[in-house]
Amino acid sequence: MAEEGDEYRNIHGSPTLEDLGLRSRPTVQDSVVGKVRSCSDINRLEVAFLVLSIIAIVSAAALTVVRLTEITVSDGDFPFCIVLLINSAFCFYYILHGIFRERPHEMAVFLFSVGIIIVYIVANYITGTRNDIKLARMIAIVVVGVVAVALGCKIALEYFLSKNLIFLTVGANTELQAICQRVFLFQGLLKLDLQLELSVLVFIIVKQLDTIEVIILAVGCPIALGWFLFGSYIPRYEKTLMMCFFWALSWAEPAYVVYRIYLASKDLSDKDTLALSAVSIAACAIAIAVRIGLIAMSVAVFKAFGKGFKEKVFRKS
């Protein structure tokens, strides 16, 4: 009789999480950053991805540090090394945050960042001085990076389709789930924007700067960091004034980056600085594209103000 009753409830009762394609008992816990998966909830594919990605990141960082000990600040490889270390640090954050918080957008940002690192390394090896350390770094990153990217694509797609942690965060309300997706994408682009800003900054600093540019960088760098932190809190408070202030300061960095592209384009005819100038222009162009995408996504987030997302997600904050 019990079995018949269970069968009746399965047929006529409410749909289960399995019916919706979700895990029946996901192991999550609340933290200061929101809901986070515990280590016991990480599957074998995700573990393999974490291990391979960490190996690639640590290998690249270690070989880059070794290279830094062999060169001077004036060496053409110096800015590439610093940029690689910055991007490696961001990648480490992306994989941990992407896996333990099931963020498909940050997984996508990680994959994009790996692509940037590979381009940096290959360009630096082809156009600069060649040695065994740079060759080993390039081979390790390309081989392990490609495998990690393949696994990351599969995992990111699973996260995007299942929306397990989003379901546990905002419930079954489809409108709130869509808003949650937009907010997560906004936050991912905000971090990528900061990553690219720092990378562009490194390429700028190694150039000979005049007094005006030193002042611009001295004032602009704290503003850029503050702009990032300010943007991070917008979804929590949903204040129109905050978003307007965020938009008002969003033009400053792209304007300066366009100016730097103009200056770097003048150095393309110099063979000694060709590689650095070309990569600088590419980094600046990507930074502008990401900033445009970030502003567009901020408009989508702004349109979701007052629809219950803040109360649902940050009610315990």
Side-chain angles (χ1 to χ4, degrees):
M1 293 295 294
E3 293 180 356
E4 292 179 358
D6 291 340
E7 182 179 358
Y8 178 85
R9 284 190 293 271
N10 289 337
I11 296 175
H12 299 282
S14 300
T16 63
L17 290 176
E18 287 85 350
D19 295 330
L20 300 175
L22 304 173
R23 291 189 290 270
S24 58
R25 293 181 180 179
T27 309
V28 297
Q29 54 193 10
D30 291 316
S31 69
V32 293
V33 296
K35 291 188 180 295
V36 179
R37 301 167 65 194
S38 65
C39 293
S40 61
D41 195 44
I42 308 301
N43 61 41
R44 293 181 180 179
L45 181 64
E46 292 166 325
V47 171
F49 169 76
L50 283 172
V51 171
L52 283 174
S53 299
I54 291 174
I55 289 175
I57 293 170
V58 173
S59 299
L63 291 172
T64 300
V65 170
V66 171
R67 178 60 181 161
L68 278 173
T69 62
E70 301 176 345
I71 60 178
T72 62
V73 176
S74 59
D75 194 292
D77 285 345
F78 182 79
F80 284 96
C81 290
I82 300 301
V83 168
L84 284 174
L85 290 178
I86 291 173
N87 282 270
S88 296
F90 272 91
C91 283
F92 191 76
Y93 169 83
Y94 291 143
I95 59 172
L96 293 180
H97 202 251
I99 291 294
F100 284 95
R101 300 205 66 198
E102 285 195 8
R103 295 289 183 90
H105 305 103
E106 293 196 6
M107 293 288 290
V109 171
F110 164 76
L111 301 177
F112 180 76
S113 300
V114 170
I116 292 177
I117 290 177
I118 291 177
V119 170
Y120 282 155
I121 290 177
V122 173
N124 182 230
Y125 181 79
I126 293 176
T127 61
T129 57
R130 302 183 183 183
N131 54 59
D132 293 338
I133 291 179
K134 291 173 69 174
L135 178 61
R137 182 180 64 185
M138 183 178 68
I139 294 175
I141 290 299
V142 171
V143 174
V144 181
V146 168
V147 177
V149 165
L151 292 177
C153 288
K154 178 177 176 56
I155 294 171
L157 181 61
E158 290 179 356
Y159 289 170
F160 183 78
L161 295 176
S162 66
K163 302 178 184 178
N164 285 312
L165 216 61
I166 290 179
F167 179 86
L168 293 172
T169 301
V170 298
N173 187 309
T174 55
E175 183 180 21
L176 287 180
Q177 287 183 6
I179 294 174
C180 195
Q181 289 275 31
R182 292 197 291 270
V183 170
F184 287 171
L185 179 55
F186 169 75
Q187 292 173 335
L189 288 175
L190 193 61
K191 293 161 190 170
L192 179 59
D193 182 83
L194 177 64
Q195 175 186 346
L196 291 170
E197 277 191 86
L198 294 176
S199 299
V200 170
L201 179 64
V202 170
F203 290 126
I204 292 174
I205 289 177
V206 298
K207 294 283 188 177
Q208 199 71 25
L209 302 177
D210 56 32
T211 304
I212 295 178
E213 286 191 287
V214 171
I215 295 174
I216 291 174
L217 290 175
V219 176
C221 291
I223 291 178
L225 182 58
W227 190 78
F228 164 77
L229 295 174
F230 190 81
S232 300
Y233 281 94
I234 286 178
R236 181 182 294 267
Y237 296 105
E238 293 187 354
K239 298 293 185 180
T240 301
L241 186 61
M242 290 181 67
M243 185 63 84
C244 291
F245 185 73
F246 180 79
W247 288 333
L249 293 179
S250 64
W251 63 270
E253 185 252 358
Y256 183 68
V257 167
V258 169
Y259 170 68
R260 293 305 310 185
I261 290 177
Y262 168 73
L263 293 180
S265 64
K266 294 182 177 181
D267 297 330
L268 291 176
S269 58
D270 188 348
K271 293 182 179 180
D272 295 332
T273 60
L274 175 60
L276 181 59
S277 298
V279 174
S280 298
I281 292 174
C284 289
I286 295 173
I288 292 175
V290 170
R291 176 59 64 90
I292 293 173
L294 175 60
I295 298 305
M297 189 50 55
S298 70
V299 174
V301 171
F302 175 71
K303 291 180 178 179
F305 281 8
K307 296 186 177 181
F309 175 80
K310 175 186 68 174
E311 292 76 11
K312 188 72 173 179
V313 177
F314 302 110
R315 62 182 182 276
K316 295 182 180 180
S317 302

